[in-house]
Amino acid sequence: ADGHGDGWRLTEWAERERTRRNKLGRTLSALTQLKVHLFNPDQTLRILSRSLAFVYTPGFVAVSLIVMAAGGLLAVSEWERIFQSARDYFQTTVSSLGGFAEGAPVFYGTLFFIVAIHEMAHGLTCAHYGGKVTDMGFILFYLHVPGFYCDITDAYSFEKRSQRLWATVAGGYSGLVLAAGGVFLWWGTTPGDLLNNVAIALMFLGGPPLLILNWNPLMRLDGYYILMDLLEAPNLMANSFRYIATLFKTKILRVPGV
């Protein structure tokens, strides 16, 4: 009788522990991505998507690719001066309270602008292909990294994979266009000027440095969803973890019947 009682108590304890951990996990997840709904942008995006339909024409895409290529070539040819300008800007910003008061608004203002355009690009592309976008708002990563979000879940109902991919790629693509514009703005302004500092922020926040992070398929950001669409594998991360767990149990732990 004691053995059965101990087993029952152990099962009860395990269930309580599992519930506690699940609750803790949900709490930590909520803290890592604190979302605040701002508005329903569906009607606005539908109007804008009709006005900006030319953005999705082959001609505009070709022009934007030429601009990005030209900006990239200029950045490569001037990379030493660009990094020197960026170093001077960031050193000035962190060197004193006055420098921070002058440089931080430029950095965060440009960051908000890029992220807003990034999310609008997702939403506009989703609306362009007939999807509904009913939620847009503010998000705080890990309680200190600000940003915006745009729910384009409806894009995953598109039958054409190319349309799903464009809805996901649009955000990073818009950042590259802004970064290319930043290169030309930097080239045409004097180091240390306000516009020159804005150009530096555009290049580094909209261009490859952050795009590498955003398109990393190992993180649940745009890159993960791009890979999911390319492979046409819904719930890719969950299924991958389940597969790895099964391999670990069967090949390492030798658990029978898994």
Side-chain angles (χ1 to χ4, degrees):
D2 290 339
H4 288 295
D6 290 342
W8 179 82
R9 282 192 292 272
L10 183 60
T11 302
E12 188 181 51
W13 173 85
E15 186 62 32
R16 286 199 307 270
E17 184 67 13
R18 186 179 298 112
T19 301
R20 185 187 69 81
R21 291 185 179 182
N22 287 340
K23 185 177 180 181
L24 178 62
R26 288 193 296 269
T27 302
L28 291 175
S29 177
L31 288 175
T32 56
Q33 291 190 6
L34 181 63
K35 289 184 177 181
V36 179
H37 170 77
L38 293 180
F39 67 106
N40 182 340
D42 191 59
Q43 191 62 33
T44 302
L45 289 175
R46 288 186 182 282
I47 295 171
L48 286 175
S49 67
R50 289 194 291 269
S51 302
L52 298 174
F54 69 91
V55 170
Y56 301 95
T57 61
F60 184 88
V61 173
V63 170
S64 66
L65 288 172
I66 292 171
V67 170
M68 285 190 283
L73 290 173
L74 179 58
V76 170
S77 65
E78 297 282 357
W79 71 269
E80 289 185 350
R81 291 180 56 210
I82 289 175
F83 276 93
Q84 183 60 51
S85 295
R87 191 181 301 113
D88 292 343
Y89 164 62
F90 288 112
Q91 284 180 349
T92 301
T93 300
V94 301
S95 62
S96 65
L97 186 60
F100 182 81
E102 183 179 343
V106 172
F107 179 86
Y108 282 104
T110 307
L111 174 63
F112 271 108
F113 173 72
I114 291 172
V115 174
I117 295 296
H118 179 109
E119 296 304 326
M120 284 293 289
H122 284 312
L124 279 170
T125 306
C126 182
H128 174 75
Y129 290 120
K132 291 184 178 180
V133 184
T134 58
D135 185 14
M136 194 169 187
F138 177 80
I139 188 170
L140 197 63
F141 294 101
Y142 302 105
L143 299 182
H144 72 281
V145 181
F148 297 101
Y149 73 89
C150 183
D151 188 349
I152 58 167
T153 305
D154 209 41
Y156 301 112
S157 65
F158 296 161
E159 291 186 7
K160 292 185 177 180
R161 179 169 60 175
S162 60
Q163 293 178 351
R164 297 196 303 271
L165 282 169
W166 267 117
T168 308
V169 169
Y173 194 95
S174 67
L176 288 174
V177 173
L178 290 173
V183 175
F184 294 113
L185 181 61
W186 168 86
W187 184 68
T189 54
T190 304
D193 285 354
L194 175 61
L195 288 178
N196 194 263
N197 291 338
V198 170
I200 291 169
L202 281 172
M203 284 188 282
F204 282 88
L205 296 175
L210 278 194
L211 193 64
I212 292 172
L213 175 67
N214 189 42
W215 281 1
N216 178 1
L218 300 179
M219 301 179 68
R220 210 177 184 90
L221 297 173
D222 288 352
Y224 166 73
Y225 295 103
I226 291 171
L227 181 62
M228 193 173 69
D229 284 329
L230 286 172
L231 299 177
E232 294 192 328
N235 301 318
L236 179 60
M237 185 172 290
N239 292 335
S240 298
F241 280 127
R242 192 178 300 115
Y243 176 71
I244 292 171
T246 301
L247 282 180
F248 181 76
K249 290 177 182 178
T250 57
K251 303 300 182 182
I252 306 298
L253 300 180
R254 304 289 183 181
V255 177
V258 177

